[in-house]
Amino acid sequence: MASDIREQELRQNLGTRSIRPLPQPKFPDADLAVWARGIRRPPHKVDVMLVNPPTPDGAIWIRSQHRVGRRSRENMVWPQVSLAQMAALLHPDYSIEIIDANATRMRWPEFEALLREKRPRYYITQVTAPTLTNDMYGVFVARSLGAITIAFGTHVTPMPRETLQSFPALDFVLRGEPELALRELLDTIQAGNKVWRVESGKLIKPDDQPADATGLMHKMMSEADITWRPAWSIPASDDVAQDERISTSHTQLGAIKGLVWRRGDAITVNADRPFVRNLDDLPMPLHHLLPLDQYRIPMVKGPYTFIVTSRGCTAGCKYCIKHVSYQFSIRLRTPESIMEELWALNKLGIHNIHMYADLFTVNREQVVGLCNLIIKEGLKIKWTCNSRVDYVDKEMLQLMGKAGCWCISWGIESANEQILKKAAKGYRLEQAPRALQWAHEAGILNWGYFIIGLPGETTDTIQQTIAFSKKLPLDIALFHVAAPYPGTPFFFEVLENNWFRPGTQWEQVDMDKSTVLDYQGLKAEELEYWQKRAFREWAFRPRPIWTYIKSINGPQVLRSAVEIGLGTLGWIK
């Protein structure tokens, strides 16, 4: 009886059955089932998304087309006019959205949700060294949603291969001045993907209207490069990118100057693209696409924005990242062109302007002409700019003050002439107090920038700079730590002398937060200590404190002032 029960139990245990012979695998194919029902990736809702992505820590960061990225201790939200300029070169042939997540304080979850909603066909982002991995996270998300991903900026211009090798989700890099390369790349992909067609040497959109109907893009490209021929007009080779998003031939991609791209497993760096010759030809930036009400600057009540007045700088400062993008070319907009944009911004309700240039006073005739037009036309604006102490005179500063200039930022850097000479700063020390005094007499506030840790720095030279800063008629001062940004002469000098701290990551190359320099007699920790001490010694004196208190001219400025104060105290502690 017991054996019968046991036998019955064993029969019910399926584990007692013999194991069948090993079959060949036959995995389910859900792809075919889904595609058979017409279920595909959702369509793109916008052609182009130009992006200043969320910041690494949720704080405000300063970033732009040809500048570095750094955390903003001064709570200054930089307008993304470079994105608005790119948008102007793509309009009206592409549908465009600009997302400035830094200005709107958008965090990553919200940004990802926006990407999933919009599903852009092209995702264009700027990239800086301190925010490299952060910026590439946005590229990764966009790429996963089917976007063609494109990067530009001060990090990828000198390091395109390193960036593309490290981040496979990135499709293209635009080196240097990106606008024309971006336009030609997108047009060429549109043609290669058969979204647009080529007829009689022109690109025709699906609505049967020609792209670049005004011929402006063609004019600028051909004037910049007399050998230029549209990449999309070159006969396509059989060697086509094996990618469902990009069906453009390698021959055509290889003809786009300023482009770095993937050719299979290899990375191809095309010839450099010549600069835009006439800045007046650039269409006015589409300022209205920016969150203008979110842009803020210390001591200003209400929004502000940038106007680009020139590109390039004649100075040879070895540490300056601006030369990586624009080098030493000087291109000026006419005062009349600048005035047209100022009046357009006035209609948008923007009356606070920063004249954004590598060096605003690079050409006296342009500055004087602009100031005279502002006065003559009765345009009521308040504006700021940057300058060098050797590019101004008393008469010009007086005129600038009358035309509405209320603050100038000066790169003073050091009080030691040998350090200035090694850095190729190129001014004489006695010029600094004279220029700042002229500005002060013209009713213009002085904002000074200093750098701790340039080659040749010692504790004695640092203390010399601190003492000098206290003697100058400065209303605001910031002390940064020397940062060898890739592509600058300073970067190559640091490499040659093995001054990089072992294990350095690109995100650590940050002029404000930390340093990667280890000099023989001055280590990174000491440089950071002296950076903070220099600011403490300058700032905690009666005049700077009184200037800070006077700047609080409304509830909104009060809130920003409190944030700046608390953030600064936390930083120097």
Side-chain angles (χ1 to χ4, degrees):
M1 187 72 174
S3 62
D4 292 341
I5 293 174
R6 180 177 178 277
E7 185 177 345
Q8 185 176 0
E9 289 175 349
L10 288 175
R11 283 200 303 270
Q12 292 175 350
N13 180 359
L14 300 181
T16 60
R17 298 182 181 182
S18 60
I19 296 176
R20 294 180 179 179
L22 184 67
Q24 291 296 318
K26 187 177 181 181
F27 301 113
D29 194 336
D31 288 333
L32 295 178
V34 168
W35 292 343
R37 292 185 172 271
I39 301 174
R40 293 276 184 168
R41 187 193 297 272
H44 302 290
K45 293 185 180 179
V46 63
D47 291 330
V48 179
M49 185 176 283
L50 296 153
V51 171
N52 186 26
T55 59
D57 54 6
I60 295 172
W61 282 64
I62 289 174
R63 294 149 57 81
S64 77
Q65 174 175 313
H66 63 288
R67 298 290 177 93
V68 298
R70 68 173 177 88
R71 205 174 190 272
S72 176
R73 271 189 284 132
E74 60 272 42
N75 237 19
M76 185 161 54
V77 186
W78 274 30
Q80 296 302 305
V81 174
S82 58
L83 300 183
Q85 182 66 81
M86 290 182 180
L89 270 80
L90 300 174
H91 176 78
D93 296 326
Y94 296 86
S95 59
I96 306 161
E97 288 204 24
I98 297 177
I99 306 300
D100 187 353
N102 176 62
T104 59
R105 309 299 286 269
M106 187 184 296
R107 299 298 184 99
W108 277 108
E110 185 183 354
F111 183 77
E112 290 181 38
L114 183 64
L115 278 178
R116 287 187 170 84
E117 176 191 350
K118 299 295 183 180
R119 294 186 176 270
R121 188 183 303 275
Y122 301 99
Y123 177 93
I124 296 107
T125 184
Q126 58 183 321
V127 180
T128 64
T131 60
L132 174 60
T133 302
N134 176 82
D135 301 340
M136 288 299 114
Y137 179 70
V139 167
F140 169 78
V141 175
R143 175 70 174 81
S144 72
L145 297 171
I148 296 169
T149 55
I150 305 166
F152 70 95
T154 54
H155 185 76
V156 297
T157 288
M159 300 190 73
R161 299 177 189 85
E162 170 74 16
T163 308
L164 284 166
Q165 287 174 355
S166 300
F167 299 96
L170 181 61
D171 293 311
F172 299 102
V173 161
L174 308 175
R175 298 184 75 212
E177 200 168 47
E179 291 95 350
L180 296 185
L182 174 63
R183 175 72 200 219
E184 186 171 8
L185 173 63
L186 267 55
D187 286 358
T188 303
I189 294 176
Q190 291 289 92
N193 287 355
K194 309 300 186 203
V195 179
W196 295 354
R197 66 185 189 273
V198 180
E199 287 184 5
S200 303
K202 293 185 177 181
L203 280 176
I204 307 299
K205 298 180 294 182
D207 60 2
D208 292 327
Q209 296 300 311
D212 186 25
T214 64
L216 179 60
M217 300 304 111
H218 192 283
K219 175 180 182 292
M220 285 195 292
M221 292 181 190
S222 57
E223 286 183 353
D225 181 4
I226 59 173
T227 67
W228 176 76
R229 178 184 177 188
W232 46 263
S233 70
I234 297 172
S237 63
D238 294 333
D239 196 3
V240 175
Q242 299 299 311
D243 188 322
E244 65 175 4
R245 300 164 306 134
I246 307 168
S247 299
T248 306
S249 83
H250 289 165
T251 301
Q252 293 172 330
L253 290 176
I256 302 173
K257 292 184 178 180
L259 183 68
V260 187
W261 53 288
R262 302 178 188 277
R263 184 168 189 157
D265 295 331
I267 292 172
T268 300
V269 180
N270 291 355
D272 291 335
R273 178 172 287 270
F275 294 116
V276 174
R277 297 189 70 85
N278 184 359
L279 295 186
D280 283 359
D281 282 343
L282 289 170
M284 191 179 299
L286 300 186
H287 290 283
H288 66 280
L289 296 183
L290 298 171
L292 293 173
D293 59 335
Q294 299 297 318
Y295 296 131
R296 294 287 182 271
I297 191 171
M299 298 185 288
V300 170
K301 183 163 55 176
Y304 84 113
T305 195
F306 288 172
I307 282 188
V308 176
T309 59
S310 64
R311 290 183 178 181
C313 177
T314 54
C317 309
K318 292 182 177 180
Y319 51 83
C320 185
I321 194 71
K322 292 178 287 188
H323 296 313
V324 170
S325 294
Y326 296 151
Q327 299 172 11
F328 300 97
S329 66
I330 303 298
R331 291 161 294 153
L332 306 170
R333 291 178 63 186
T334 60
E336 291 77 13
S337 169
I338 299 169
M339 283 300 297
E340 182 183 356
E341 190 170 351
L342 283 170
W343 280 113
L345 287 169
N346 187 71
K347 292 179 181 178
L348 291 173
I350 305 297
H351 311 294
N352 297 297
I353 304 293
H354 177 67
M355 303 294 183
Y356 186 61
D358 296 325
L359 175 56
F360 174 69
T361 56
V362 70
N363 181 273
R364 189 183 192 276
E365 182 180 357
Q366 182 210 38
V367 174
V368 170
L370 176 60
C371 290
N372 284 330
L373 280 179
I374 292 173
I375 295 169
K376 178 183 176 182
E377 297 184 18
L379 180 61
K380 303 300 181 184
I381 60 169
K382 294 179 65 178
W383 55 276
T384 59
C385 67
N386 71 347
S387 186
R388 285 175 53 105
V389 297
D390 52 350
Y391 273 72
V392 293
D393 57 71
K394 187 173 183 178
E395 180 184 5
M396 185 176 76
L397 288 168
Q398 288 286 338
L399 182 61
M400 289 167 62
K402 291 177 183 177
C405 178
W406 65 271
C407 183
I408 298 176
S409 58
W410 309 89
I412 301 168
E413 323 311 3
S414 174
N416 183 273
E417 290 192 338
Q418 287 305 309
I419 289 176
L420 293 174
K421 187 175 181 180
K422 286 182 180 179
K425 180 64 183 178
Y427 79 86
R428 299 188 308 277
L429 208 57
E430 67 269 15
Q431 291 175 301
R434 185 178 65 187
L436 270 61
Q437 184 60 36
W438 286 340
H440 179 71
E441 292 172 0
I444 299 171
L445 298 183
N446 291 310
W447 184 323
Y449 285 98
F450 299 86
I451 299 177
I452 304 297
L454 289 170
E457 193 83 276
T458 66
T459 54
D460 288 340
T461 61
I462 294 172
Q463 292 180 68
Q464 186 180 348
T465 296
I466 296 172
F468 187 59
S469 72
K470 294 177 183 178
K471 295 176 183 177
L472 294 172
L474 286 170
D475 300 281
I476 307 171
L478 285 182
F479 295 80
H480 296 300
V481 68
Y485 290 105
T488 61
F490 181 36
F491 168 82
F492 293 109
E493 185 179 3
V494 171
L495 276 180
E496 183 179 348
N497 290 280
N498 294 317
W499 290 335
F500 268 119
R501 168 160 280 199
T504 291
Q505 302 295 315
W506 299 124
E507 288 84 352
Q508 296 171 311
V509 184
D510 187 336
M511 65 192 289
D512 197 60
K513 189 166 60 174
S514 62
T515 186
V516 295
L517 295 173
D518 267 342
Y519 295 120
Q520 188 171 3
L522 209 55
K523 300 298 182 184
E525 293 83 1
E526 296 173 275
L527 291 174
E528 292 172 20
Y529 162 78
W530 280 107
Q531 177 199 13
K532 295 175 182 180
R533 177 171 167 177
F535 181 77
R536 280 200 308 269
E537 289 197 25
W538 181 87
F540 294 141
R541 297 178 301 126
R543 177 173 173 169
I545 291 173
W546 178 235
T547 300
Y548 186 70
I549 292 172
K550 286 193 300 181
S551 72
I552 303 172
N553 55 9
Q556 195 170 47
V557 177
L558 174 63
R559 188 176 73 174
S560 179
V562 171
E563 288 181 4
I564 294 170
L566 293 176
T568 301
L569 290 173
W571 173 73
I572 64 176
K573 189 167 56 178

